[in-house]
Amino acid sequence: MSTSSTSSTSSTSSTSSTSSTSTTHKTTLDQSDFISILLAQLQYQDPNDPVDDKEMAAQLVQFSSLEALNEISEGVQSLVDANSDSTLLAGSNYLGKSIKSTGYNLTVSDGTVSTLYYSLGESVTNVTANVYDTTGDLISSVNLGSKGEGEYTYVWDGKDTNGQTVSDGTYGIIIKAENSSGESVVVQSQISGVVTGVKTSDGTTYLELADGRTVALSNVTEVVSTASTSSSDS
């Protein structure tokens, strides 16, 4: 009696464990689904009111267009992926090197300030280097006098308007000047740093610098020697 009951229970348990199935559902229609629907439409059409040949042709044209668009989309995505891989590989060539890139920020680390580069296409007067903290407040303003056409470098002394040494971190800097007409102009500047990493975000490749800053690979202008660590302007 007990043996029969045990056997029945075991059989029931075995049946339950092997009868479970999982079902997956698609949220989009693909080309095979489109064909299935089209064939079903032909199979179950009303013989007294068949599908219009023009409507059928229009559906076939839609199917061909869908297929072509899918192929184009896949091709474009392949190109995007290939370009991303290519630029990432190109960025890796900068690892360990000091680069120069367009930018408007400096870093202070252990009292050492990164170098700022700027170029002038004409003679200007009242050249001023304005430094801002992360909240956008002006903390230092140094007048550099008049400058002729040429390339220049500037290293901030790391002190605010009160002569106090600022804490380590990243600061914004803008070089302003006046042209021959007395109009105020913002001078294009460049920053420098040693590349320690490469990353991509939203299709753009960035170089990570040793001091924590990041620059777009497309903004790199040249590879330069290690940045100066003393305050100067030339």
Side-chain angles (χ1 to χ4, degrees), residues 24-174:
T24 57
H25 302 277
K26 295 194 299 183
T27 58
T28 59
L29 297 178
D30 55 23
Q31 297 176 9
S32 62
D33 296 322
F34 187 92
I35 291 295
S36 297
I37 295 173
L38 186 60
L39 292 176
Q41 184 180 6
L42 292 174
Q43 181 179 357
Y44 296 106
Q45 65 181 325
D46 185 351
N48 297 320
D49 185 21
V51 178
D52 183 75
D53 58 344
K54 292 182 179 180
E55 181 181 349
M56 180 64 69
Q59 293 183 15
L60 290 174
V61 169
Q62 290 177 357
F63 171 73
S64 298
S65 298
L66 175 62
E67 185 176 21
L69 288 174
N70 285 337
E71 292 178 351
I72 291 174
S73 178
E74 291 173 357
V76 170
Q77 186 59 49
S78 296
L79 288 174
V80 170
D81 293 341
N83 181 66
S84 178
D85 292 340
S86 177
T87 54
L88 191 62
L89 180 61
S92 66
N93 292 326
Y94 292 90
L95 289 173
K97 297 179 181 178
S98 182
I99 57 93
K100 183 190 294 186
S101 169
T102 56
Y104 297 93
N105 52 52
L106 299 172
T107 57
V108 178
S109 178
D110 294 329
T112 298
V113 184
S114 58
T115 302
L116 183 79
Y117 301 82
Y118 64 99
S119 59
L120 300 172
E122 61 178 331
S123 296
V124 293
T125 59
N126 198 27
V127 180
T128 306
N130 294 323
V131 181
Y132 303 83
D133 61 16
T134 55
T135 63
D137 292 330
L138 179 67
I139 61 173
S140 175
S141 183
V142 179
N143 190 292
L144 306 178
S146 298
K147 301 288 182 182
E149 178 181 352
E151 304 285 335
Y152 297 89
T153 61
Y154 173 72
V155 179
W156 173 42
D157 63 6
K159 297 181 179 180
D160 60 20
T161 53
N162 297 320
Q164 300 296 315
T165 300
V166 301
S167 57
D168 288 358
T170 301
Y171 297 84
I173 180 167
I174 295 179

Side-chain angles (χ1 to χ4, degrees), residues 199-218:
K199 67 178 182 179
T200 59
S201 178
D202 297 328
T204 301
T205 299
Y206 295 92
L207 301 180
E208 298 176 317
L209 305 184
D211 53 24
R213 292 176 296 173
T214 59
V215 298
L217 177 60
S218 58

